């Protein structure tokens, strides 16, 4: 590993000593794309504030925090609308730079090293905008709640905030990774009567019922299109369908799998290829709805502390999503496990 220099925080920024960070599928996809290089990946993380920049009043040294890949400035049109979590000032950062000055805080031998999603948590220290961190209870175990800074929160919110899953409803989930199984947990807590998981990984199907999935469907076991299978076993289609794979063709399949009249499809996955999707207009004409979900609709600063409290009160589960705990030196093993589909979340622990 290279010794990368991490600059002090600039105005309205904080420098964080990363404690735990977990590997998300989007880290792997971005790494494989080689779009920006050199770059420090990682965005699902927890840590302790090491220092604060000028103008920062919300944080102090020693605060426990979660990093977030979309911030909340609390003053732009989107933040004040009460309708959205897509901050206009601190939204999804795609160029590998800081929001504030379009520069980097990492360097190697005097040359810039780029950020990822304004977080870059695969580093012992990182610098983020103060709007891209959330102060949390010091009672919460940082090595567990790091999952709430992306995957688990995204799935819970997609079911609760975006879809508003109702009691007695039928839910179908495409993709039984951490996000899909978090949708399952949230749907179970809402009282869904059937939660159907769709995945072609036998290992994931085997573990799914522990998170609330009532039945699993392996597309490889059927000759007919999977949307037809779902419609047949649900008497016309599910009330809610969730695409958690990151495949635009699967979005179409999910839309086809929900029922006429009120069927709602939510897409959460980030496509690795082919970002454009297509669907017959008749699917929408017959009353189906397609919605996108970014971070489950949660406003990070406003909402994440309450999710942490739910975890501390044992109202939601996080621990069972962690299948591997690895040291920072073994980070490549985490990437290999994700590529082979042999993990849910690998939590990477930084040197103390």
């Amino acid at each position: 590993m290279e010794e990368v220099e991490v600059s002090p925080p600039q105005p309205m920024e904080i420098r964080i000593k990363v404690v735990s960070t977990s590997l998300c599928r989007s880290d792997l996809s971005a790494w494989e794309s080689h779009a920006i290089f050199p770059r420090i990946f990682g965005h699902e993380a927890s840590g302790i504030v090491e220092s604060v920049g000028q103008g920062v009043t919300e944080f102090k040294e020693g605060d426990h925090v979660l990093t977030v890949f979309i911030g909340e400035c609390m003053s732009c049109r989107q933040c004040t609308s009460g309708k959205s979590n897509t901050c206009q000032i601190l939204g999804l950062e795609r160029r590998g730079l800081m929001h504030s000055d379009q520069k980097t805080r990492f360097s190697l031998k005097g040359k810039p090293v780029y950020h990822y999603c304004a977080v870059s948590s695969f580093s012992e220290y990182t610098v983020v905008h103060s709007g891209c961190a959330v102060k949390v209870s010091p009672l919460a175990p940082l090595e567990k709640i790091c999952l709430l800074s992306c995957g688990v929160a995204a799935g819970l919110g997609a079911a609760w905030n975006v879809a508003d899953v109702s009691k007695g409803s039928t839910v179908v989930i495409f993709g039984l990774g951490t996000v899909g199984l978090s949708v399952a947990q949230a749907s179970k807590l809402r009282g869904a009567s059937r939660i159907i998981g769709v995945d072609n990984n036998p290992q994931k199907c085997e573990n799914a019922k522990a998170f609330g999935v009532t039945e699993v469907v392996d597309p490889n076991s059927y000759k007919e299109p999977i949307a037809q299978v779902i419609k047949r076993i649900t008497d016309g289609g599910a009330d809610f369908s969730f695409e958690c794979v990151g495949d635009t063709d699967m979005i179409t399949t999910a839309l086809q799998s929900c029922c006429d009249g009120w069927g709602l499809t939510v897409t959460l996955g980030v496509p690795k290829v082919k970002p454009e999707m297509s669907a017959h207009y008749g699917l929408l004409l017959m009353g189906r709805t397609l919605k996108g979900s970014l971070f489950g609709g949660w406003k990070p600063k406003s909402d994440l502390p309450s999710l942490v409290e739910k975890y501390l009160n044992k109202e939601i589960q996080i621990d069972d999503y962690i299948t591997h705990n690895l040291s920072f030196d073994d980070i490549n093993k985490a990437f290999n496990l994700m590529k082979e589909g042999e993990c849910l979340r690998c939590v990477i622990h930084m040197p103390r």
Side-chain angles (χ1 to χ4, degrees), residues 113-129:
V113 175
Y114 295 95
H115 299 247
Y116 179 64
C117 284
V119 175
S120 293
S121 56
F122 294 163
S123 170
E124 292 185 56
Y125 289 87
T126 190
V127 175
V128 303
H129 192 283

Side-chain angles (χ1 to χ4, degrees), residues 51-122:
S51 56
V52 301
Q54 181 183 349
V56 175
T57 57
E58 180 184 357
F59 299 99
K60 65 182 184 302
E61 184 180 330
D63 281 343
H64 287 206
V65 294
L66 291 175
T67 59
V68 284
F69 65 94
I70 53 168
E72 182 182 358
C73 75
M74 301 180 126
S75 60
C76 71
R77 181 187 179 191
Q78 294 285 329
C79 285
T80 58
S81 70
K83 301 175 183 179
S84 169
N85 67 340
T86 54
C87 178
Q88 289 172 284
I89 308 299
L90 302 172
L92 200 57
E93 209 295 311
R94 300 176 185 274
R95 294 186 293 175
L97 305 170
M98 293 295 291
H99 285 101
S100 52
D101 60 5
Q102 301 300 296
K103 295 179 181 178
T104 73
R105 299 294 177 264
F106 299 109
S107 62
L108 178 63
K109 298 176 182 176
K111 295 184 178 180
V113 175
Y114 295 95
H115 299 247
Y116 179 64
C117 284
V119 175
S120 293
S121 56
F122 294 163

Side-chain angles (χ1 to χ4, degrees), residues 5-10 13-15 50-51 53 105 127:
E5 183 177 342
V6 185
S7 300
Q10 297 302 301
E13 296 173 357
I14 61 175
R15 187 159 63 184
E50 180 261 356
S51 56
R105 299 294 177 264
V127 175

